[in-house]
Amino acid sequence: MSESASIDDPDRAQRLALQPFEVRASRFLSLILRHDPGRVGLTLDPAGWVGVSDLLAALAACGRPLTRAQLDLVVERNDKQRFAFDPTGTRIRASQGHSVPVELGYEAAEPPALLFHGTHPQALDAIRAEGLRPMNRHAVHLSPDAGTATRVGTRRGRPVVLTVDAARMSADGHRFRVSANGVWLTDAVPPEYLGQCIRP
């Protein structure tokens, strides 16, 4: 959510402020829907979906119960919109970030001229030498603006933000996709496409 959205709609900003139990639930859902569905006895379908009723039953069985209303709140209030329901509201999946095999089905898209990647200073030398690689994920995640990339980078301490020449990458044949929550995905970013380092 942007700062302007908070200013224009303060009630929505308050509504979207995660409560502690919602933060815990969101983190556990990320673990289950991105990395380890078997931990609660679930299997994702090839596109990463799982039935909402199956998810709620599995969470209850492992001692982490959520009601459907609480799940709806976690999905709505998540600042990065990590999760999405299908159009029927009967299935849920993580929007991106999986380490388990899934094919999310996002179509190729033309990126903006610049994209951004938030990281931490200790990673800069390796990134400058090797570029950005997906590591244990399916794709490299890029942000559409420096503010979002900064927030991503703060997860490991003081962030740094790298610019990515997405226009040149696209012109050179690199494929981009954009997730349901606005994260740009690509297989890798070779070092020659990395630009300036912003230190917020």
Side-chain angles (χ1 to χ4, degrees):
M1 183 178 60
S2 68
E3 290 181 8
S4 62
S6 300
I7 294 168
D8 295 342
D9 187 356
D11 291 336
R12 182 173 189 271
Q14 182 175 2
R15 193 170 68 249
L16 296 185
L18 282 173
Q19 300 301 312
F21 94 90
E22 293 167 338
V23 172
R24 292 191 298 272
S26 178
R27 288 176 179 163
F28 194 65
L29 286 174
S30 287
L31 173 67
I32 299 306
L33 297 178
R34 287 175 163 180
H35 309 298
D36 193 7
R39 177 175 293 220
V40 295
L42 291 174
T43 301
L44 306 181
D45 80 4
W49 296 106
V50 68
V52 170
S53 59
D54 295 332
L55 173 65
L56 294 177
L59 292 173
C62 77
R64 291 178 174 261
L66 277 182
T67 66
R68 175 61 197 253
Q70 288 172 326
L71 179 64
D72 289 347
L73 283 176
V74 170
V75 172
E76 178 194 358
R77 293 182 182 184
N78 189 275
D79 62 340
K80 295 180 182 174
Q81 296 295 291
R82 289 186 175 96
F83 316 109
F85 293 115
D86 76 354
T88 70
T90 61
R91 298 186 302 163
I92 187 172
R93 72 177 180 181
S95 296
Q96 88 285 321
H98 299 77
S99 59
V100 295
V102 293
E103 180 48 64
L104 298 174
Y106 296 134
E107 298 293 330
E110 189 68 26
L114 274 184
L115 289 168
F116 302 85
H117 182 79
T119 187
H120 55 99
Q122 294 81 2
L124 279 179
D125 288 344
I127 290 172
R128 289 290 190 197
E130 303 170 12
L132 296 171
R133 298 176 295 156
M135 309 304 283
N136 64 336
R137 293 182 170 183
H138 286 222
V140 170
H141 292 189
L142 301 171
S143 300
D145 58 79
T148 301
T150 299
R151 289 191 294 276
V152 171
T154 57
R155 290 180 300 193
R156 297 183 181 177
R158 184 168 180 160
V160 293
V161 174
L162 291 164
T163 59
V164 174
D165 190 344
R168 186 159 65 94
M169 280 187 66
S170 181
D172 290 346
H174 294 270
R175 182 171 176 259
F176 289 85
R177 304 170 307 284
V178 61
S179 72
N181 59 340
V183 175
W184 285 87
L185 309 172
T186 192
D187 292 338
V189 179
E192 60 265 29
Y193 299 103
L194 295 172
Q196 71 181 100
C197 177
I198 304 167
R199 296 178 184 268

